[in-house]
Amino acid sequence: MKKILPLFSYVFHPIFIPAMATLFYLSFSGGEFVNQEKLFIFFQVLVVTVVLPSLVFLLLRTAGNIDSIMLAEVSQRKIPLILHCFLLILLVKKSITIDRYPELHFFLLGALLSTILALILLFLNIKASLHMIAISSLTVFIIGLSLHLQIQITFTIATLILLNGFVASSRLEMKAHTNKELIIGFILGAVPQLLLLVLWL
């Protein structure tokens, strides 16, 4: 099991979570969008939240500013988080708008709030688990979607709750975080999503 646990840190890396949330949103929303629009939405999110950050990561690694995709050091996290904030702002302002995609808009807005809070904590030399921020925000979003769309996805929700535990265990196994950092990350991810639920449920 100890050999498998680190895989959860890579598969559920924070960089992939917005794209995963978008896939859930599009699959659950079903008939609201034609397939061409679904592809357009997904690839927009994929390019902005996965492709662009990956390219910047390669540049920063080449320049010696960061040494790993896991961003272990507090000092290495500031530039990627600032970039992530700007990219999320770009999405919610220009692409995933409140009038057309309200549920996904508020998820990304919640992700932006979580990222800003994590960034503020960095300047206080407090490192929150970005993995826990990501997986907990996704879990709350999917629970909200199930309530909003009145769909029965008990197995999916149970799996996501279980994944929160696996991701946390993975980060502990890799000695990337303390229990305190994992708890802070979970709170930073879940609370903004919970607060924003009232605006779209």
Side-chain angles (χ1 to χ4, degrees), residues 80-135:
L81 285 185
I82 290 170
L83 172 70
H84 190 59
C85 286
F86 280 112
L87 292 175
L88 288 174
I89 290 169
L90 178 68
L91 274 178
V92 297
K93 290 285 283 183
K94 300 295 183 182
S95 301
I96 312 300
T97 56
I98 190 171
D99 56 331
R100 182 62 179 147
Y101 316 107
E103 300 89 352
L104 189 57
H105 175 88
F106 281 114
F107 168 75
L108 294 172
L109 194 59
L112 174 60
L113 292 174
S114 296
T115 306
I116 290 171
L117 291 171
L119 186 59
I120 291 170
L121 289 180
L122 285 182
F123 286 98
L124 299 174
N125 208 34
I126 299 172
K127 185 175 76 167
S129 170
L130 301 179
H131 281 75
M132 290 310 297
I133 289 174
I135 194 68

Side-chain angles (χ1 to χ4, degrees), residues 7-186:
L7 289 175
F8 288 93
S9 286
Y10 293 97
V11 174
F12 296 98
H13 191 279
I15 202 172
F16 301 129
I17 298 300
M20 290 181 184
T22 304
L23 280 177
F24 275 116
Y25 170 69
L26 294 174
S27 62
F28 293 156
S29 297
E32 285 190 40
F33 312 112
V34 296
N35 288 336
Q36 189 175 1
E37 185 177 7
K38 287 182 179 181
L39 285 173
F40 182 67
I41 297 166
F42 177 70
F43 280 112
Q44 276 188 94
V45 174
L46 189 69
V47 168
V48 173
T49 64
V50 178
V51 177
L52 290 179
S54 297
L55 293 174
V56 172
F57 164 75
L58 292 174
L59 287 173
L60 291 173
R61 188 169 186 177
T62 303
N65 294 101
I66 56 177
D67 55 13
S68 166
I69 196 170
M70 294 302 171
L71 304 174
E73 301 298 325
V74 169
S75 59
Q76 297 178 359
R77 294 176 164 224
K78 292 176 182 177
I79 294 175
L81 285 185
I82 290 170
L83 172 70
H84 190 59
C85 286
F86 280 112
L87 292 175
L88 288 174
I89 290 169
L90 178 68
L91 274 178
V92 297
K93 290 285 283 183
K94 300 295 183 182
S95 301
I96 312 300
T97 56
I98 190 171
D99 56 331
R100 182 62 179 147
Y101 316 107
E103 300 89 352
L104 189 57
H105 175 88
F106 281 114
F107 168 75
L108 294 172
L109 194 59
L112 174 60
L113 292 174
S114 296
T115 306
I116 290 171
L117 291 171
L119 186 59
I120 291 170
L121 289 180
L122 285 182
F123 286 98
L124 299 174
N125 208 34
I126 299 172
K127 185 175 76 167
S129 170
L130 301 179
H131 281 75
M132 290 310 297
I133 289 174
I135 194 68
S136 65
S137 64
L138 178 65
T139 304
V140 174
F141 176 61
I142 298 307
I143 292 171
L145 269 184
S146 71
L147 295 172
H148 180 63
L149 301 175
Q150 297 184 337
I151 51 176
Q152 292 293 328
I153 48 169
T154 308
F155 178 77
T156 302
I157 292 171
T159 301
L160 283 168
I161 292 171
L162 192 62
L163 283 172
N164 277 264
F166 280 125
V167 170
S169 299
S170 173
R171 304 310 287 151
L172 289 172
E173 177 63 28
M174 296 177 75
K175 295 180 172 54
H177 288 289
T178 63
N179 285 325
K180 180 182 176 181
E181 291 167 350
L182 293 172
I183 292 169
I184 292 171
F186 180 86

